[in-house]
Amino acid sequence: MGKVLVSRFNGIITSGRIVEVEAYNGIIDKASHAFGGRRTNRNEIMYANGGVAYVYLCYGIHHLFNVITNNKETPHAILIRALEPVIGIDEMLQRVGKTKPDSYRLDNTLTRGPGNLSKALGIFTFHSGTSLGSKELFIADDGFVFPKKQIAVSPRIGVDYAGNDALLPYRFYVKGNPFVSGKPK
DNA sequence: GAGTAGATCCTCT
DNA sequence: GAGGATCTACTCA
């Protein structure tokens, strides 16, 4: 949280500050693809050493971007759910297909929600497995931190099928930030 | 403003 | 052959 996710494809730089994330707690988390130690072609990446990207297609439309966080054989992941745009806003708008020349700089749907932010940064499934130490895709730390008071916790979104695990407080977000998905309070 | 359907395709059973 | 870590637009009130 508070760090900056940067993509640099074809010399075009786009980046955004991370304002909303969800944790997926490995093999004991029903909402995780790795629940019960499941291991498939798709989620094989989750069992790799931390620091790589895990991207997959959801509902046939949306690319969801995760960061693998733990050691080899321990499939923990963080889903990046929302960014606050920093660099390359025009580029991102083009990728999303938004025009709105009048008020587009205030458009907070650009990187709001996991599907949108992946599209905005130009991240697709073939980036799955990319190291976040690469020059194309990485997370930068510019020293900025959100005050603890601004960080809120809640259950995760869109994981109702996971039973009790859907209630776990694994979602973290910046209070009042307009790019956070879900309903503002 | 709230609630719901439709999009759309890869992955696993 | 079914369903999903989602989003948008449209309906109805």
Side-chain angles (χ1 to χ4, degrees), chain A residues 165-180:
Chain A
D165 286 344
L167 304 175
L168 294 169
Y170 281 174
R171 171 172 171 256
F172 302 88
Y173 61 98
V174 178
K175 257 188 249 181
N177 188 289
F179 294 95
V180 171

Side-chain angles (χ1 to χ4, degrees), chain A residues 42-115:
Chain A
R42 178 174 68 166
N43 71 12
E44 181 65 28
I45 304 287
M46 298 181 80
Y47 291 84
N49 253 321
V52 299
Y54 171 48
V55 186
Y56 90 101
L57 186 64
C58 184
Y59 296 98
I61 305 174
H62 305 292
H63 294 85
L64 271 58
F65 174 76
N66 298 253
V67 178
I68 304 304
T69 56
N70 215 303
N71 293 320
K72 208 168 166 52
E73 304 303 320
T74 306
H76 291 184
I78 305 285
L79 168 68
I80 309 295
R81 289 192 57 87
L83 303 174
E84 183 177 317
V86 177
I87 299 174
I89 293 177
D90 290 331
E91 231 358 274
M92 292 193 262
L93 283 165
Q94 272 188 27
R95 284 178 181 151
V96 178
K98 288 193 186 302
T99 42
K100 289 190 197 167
D102 44 10
S103 63
Y104 66 89
R105 285 196 181 273
L106 302 173
D107 191 337
N108 60 12
T109 68
L110 183 56
T111 51
R112 177 182 177 168

Side-chain angles (χ1 to χ4, degrees), chain A residues 23-32 34-35 75-77 156 168 170:
Chain A
Y24 284 84
N25 191 20
I27 60 176
I28 60 168
D29 183 353
K30 278 187 199 158
S32 169
F35 173 66
H76 291 184
R156 290 171 294 185
L168 294 169
Y170 281 174

